[in-house]
């Protein structure tokens, strides 16, 4: 029998972000190793984070690239993604769920395009607190020490540029690689990083009394048990046996199992990463992007107005303007939907502009004012926006 999840500490969702090869996965493994040493986590090696196949996960909780651990004061779910496209798709658009982020910047390389794009998108989707891990500090010791000071300044400027208060954000010099090897100087740097996360990222307000809502991240079948959906609870509370509606699937059913990180639980709350076993729902009926809600609590829609920031070419965005009739992909929560853009009275929106638009989506999704989204085109992010009104 599995041990039930016991809620003893406040739970927060964090994640590593940053440019490819700056050491996100190594750092994630190092954090689990240091906390395993303290006895409040289980060591998850690099390979299991980077290429955790679906089949390798046990129980009904399958959240690829999620690890969990505890510090003295908190329980964390930590997300790490293999590539930049995964960040945009899996993390950044779902990052309304992220209570804080660890921005990993290699001290050897400094800010790179994906570093800047992740900060921009984190801002757009409402991640309010970023702690910086200035990684690979082991490689810039001695004569290069001025280099690391410059990188730190550069990162603080980048944060300030995006409204993060770069002067006050914690910037911790770490070495994920050396900490993973057990070098005490650098395991201490991981302790310092975790302290910074514990103190700098506040416990967010959880809307436990609001109607339940969970965007589906992943769907799988447990032989003999049924269809399972995984994701982070955006709001509300769900108890075993509660009825839910799956928006997109047109199904209403009962939840017959709830787990978090392989441990059964009686009640899922806003902020939890969970797997839900849905009675009698065929696997084909549910997809990533669907939304599990308290029955009748949400009416999905297709049209909305939004404020959209069009990324400049320097930020990895377009080099040419867009006009009415533009038809990119919209990443809203976990959904990926095509949409028609109407610029109203404006002839053109140029890279670098912030504009008010009206959007008509190809299908209905739950929308509400304040909801963040990313706009993608040919596999790259070209804009980020916030819903201002649902029509
Ligand atoms: P990711 O793409 O951001 O997840 O980066 P990885 O964790 O896969 O690391 C990329 C490369 O950087 C690997 O070769 C790591 O061994 C190396 N690396 C990661 N962290 C450190 C570090 O703290 N110091 C040094 N010297 N190398 C590191
Ligand atoms: Mg990685």
């Amino acid at each position: 029998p599995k041990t039930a999840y016991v809620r003893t500490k406040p739970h927060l969702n964090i994640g590593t972000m940053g440019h490819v090869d700056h050491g996100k996965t190594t750092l994630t493994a190092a954090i689990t190793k240091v906390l395993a040493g303290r006895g409040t986590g289980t060591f998850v090696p690099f390979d299991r984070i980077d290429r955790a196949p679906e089949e390798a996960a046990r129980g009904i909780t399958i959240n690829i690239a999620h690890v969990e651990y505890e510090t003295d004061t908190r329980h964390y779910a930590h997300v790490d993604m293999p590539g930049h496209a995964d960040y945009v798709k899996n993390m950044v658009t779902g990052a309304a769920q992220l209570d804080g982020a660890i921005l990993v910047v290699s001290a050897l390389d400094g800010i790179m395009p994906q570093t800047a794009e992740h900060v921009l998108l984190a801002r757009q989707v409402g991640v309010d607190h970023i702690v910086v891990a200035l990684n690979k500090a082991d490689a810039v010791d001695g004569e290069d020490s001025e280099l690391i000071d410059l990188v730190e300044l550069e990162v603080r400027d980048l944060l300030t540029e995006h409204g993060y208060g770069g002067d006050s954000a914690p910037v911790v010099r770490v070495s994920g690689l050396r900490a993973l090897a057990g070098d005490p100087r650098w395991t201490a740097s991981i302790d310092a990083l975790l302290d910074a996360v514990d103190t700098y990222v506040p416990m967010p307000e959880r809307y436990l009394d609001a109607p339940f809502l969970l965007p589906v991240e992943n769907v799988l079948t447990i032989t003999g048990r049924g269809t399972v959906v995984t994701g982070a609870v955006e709001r509300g509370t769900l108890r075993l046996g509660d009825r839910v509606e799956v928006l997109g699937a047109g199904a209403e059913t009962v939840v017959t199992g709830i787990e978090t990180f392989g441990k059964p639980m009686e009640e899922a709350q806003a902020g939890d990463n969970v797997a839900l076993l849905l009675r009698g729902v065929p696997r084909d009926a549910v997809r990533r992007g669907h939304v599990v809600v308290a029955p009748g609590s949400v009416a999905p829609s297709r049209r909305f107005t939004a404020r959209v920031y069009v990324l400049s070419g320097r930020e990895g965005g377009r080099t040419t303007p867009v006009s009415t009739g533009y038809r990119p992909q919209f990443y809203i929560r976990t959904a990926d939907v095509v949409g028609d853009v109407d610029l109203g009275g404006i002839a053109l929106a140029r890279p670098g502009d912030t504009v008010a638009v009206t959007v008509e989506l190809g299908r209905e999704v739950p929308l509400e004012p304040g909801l963040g989204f990313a706009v993608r085109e040919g596999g790259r992010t070209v804009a980020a926006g916030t819903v201002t009104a649902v029509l």
Side-chain angles (χ1 to χ4, degrees), residues 19-26 46 135-136 138-139 174-178:
H19 198 76
V20 63
D21 280 344
H22 280 203
K24 299 178 293 295
T25 304
T26 307
F46 182 95
N135 194 36
K136 310 197 184 186
D138 62 288
V174 302
S175 171
L177 192 66
R178 296 301 309 150

Side-chain angles (χ1 to χ4, degrees), residues 334-388:
T334 56
D336 171 4
V337 197
V338 69
D340 282 303
V341 177
D342 187 338
L343 291 177
I346 309 165
L348 293 172
R350 293 186 177 76
D353 287 352
T354 298
V355 290
V357 301
T358 302
V359 179
E360 171 137 12
L361 298 172
R363 66 181 162 85
E364 291 185 332
V365 298
L367 296 168
E368 57 202 70
L371 188 64
F373 58 87
V375 181
R376 305 267 293 165
E377 186 193 307
R380 68 197 165 120
T381 304
V382 292
T386 307
V387 174
T388 46

Side-chain angles (χ1 to χ4, degrees), residues 61 113 138 141 164 211 229 327 343 391:
T61 301
D138 62 288
D141 262 358
Y164 278 107
V229 296
R327 219 173 128 76
L343 291 177
L391 304 175

Side-chain angles (χ1 to χ4, degrees), residues 309-322:
Y309 172 66
V310 186
L311 268 70
S312 64
R314 190 176 65 86
E315 292 164 325
R318 297 171 55 96
T319 49
T320 55
V322 299

Side-chain angles (χ1 to χ4, degrees), residues 184-367:
R185 169 171 173 200
W186 296 109
T187 56
S189 75
I190 303 299
D191 285 319
L193 179 69
L194 289 166
D195 285 347
V197 173
D198 274 346
T199 53
Y200 187 71
V201 180
M203 182 66 196
E205 187 176 353
R206 303 287 192 211
Y207 297 99
L208 301 181
D209 296 332
F212 181 78
L213 191 152
L214 171 136
V216 175
E217 263 173 31
N218 213 344
V219 186
L220 48 139
T221 313
I222 302 297
T223 314
R225 292 191 68 189
T227 298
V228 167
V229 296
T230 66
V233 182
E234 186 173 306
R235 62 180 179 232
T237 304
L238 180 82
R239 283 175 201 83
L240 217 50
D242 278 355
R243 286 197 77 76
V244 290
E245 187 181 347
V246 186
L247 294 176
E252 195 174 312
T253 184
V254 171
V255 175
T256 52
I258 309 177
E259 284 193 6
T260 188
F261 295 100
K263 299 182 196 104
M265 63 196 328
E266 292 281 311
E267 182 184 282
Q269 296 182 353
D272 290 348
N273 274 282
V274 295
L276 306 179
L277 183 60
L278 303 178
R279 183 160 77 198
V281 175
R283 184 189 167 139
D284 312 354
V286 195
R287 281 200 308 277
R288 177 192 176 87
H290 289 176
V291 182
V292 180
V293 297
S297 62
V298 178
S301 15
R302 284 171 68 157
R303 292 186 74 227
F304 62 97
T305 57
R307 209 167 46 83
V308 172
Y309 172 66
V310 186
L311 268 70
S312 64
R314 190 176 65 86
E315 292 164 325
R318 297 171 55 96
T319 49
T320 55
V322 299
S323 52
T324 293
Y326 180 51
R327 219 173 128 76
Q329 292 298 119
F330 286 79
Y331 284 76
I332 304 176
R333 294 194 178 96
T334 56
D336 171 4
V337 197
V338 69
D340 282 303
V341 177
D342 187 338
L343 291 177
I346 309 165
L348 293 172
R350 293 186 177 76
D353 287 352
T354 298
V355 290
V357 301
T358 302
V359 179
E360 171 137 12
L361 298 172
R363 66 181 162 85
E364 291 185 332
V365 298
L367 296 168

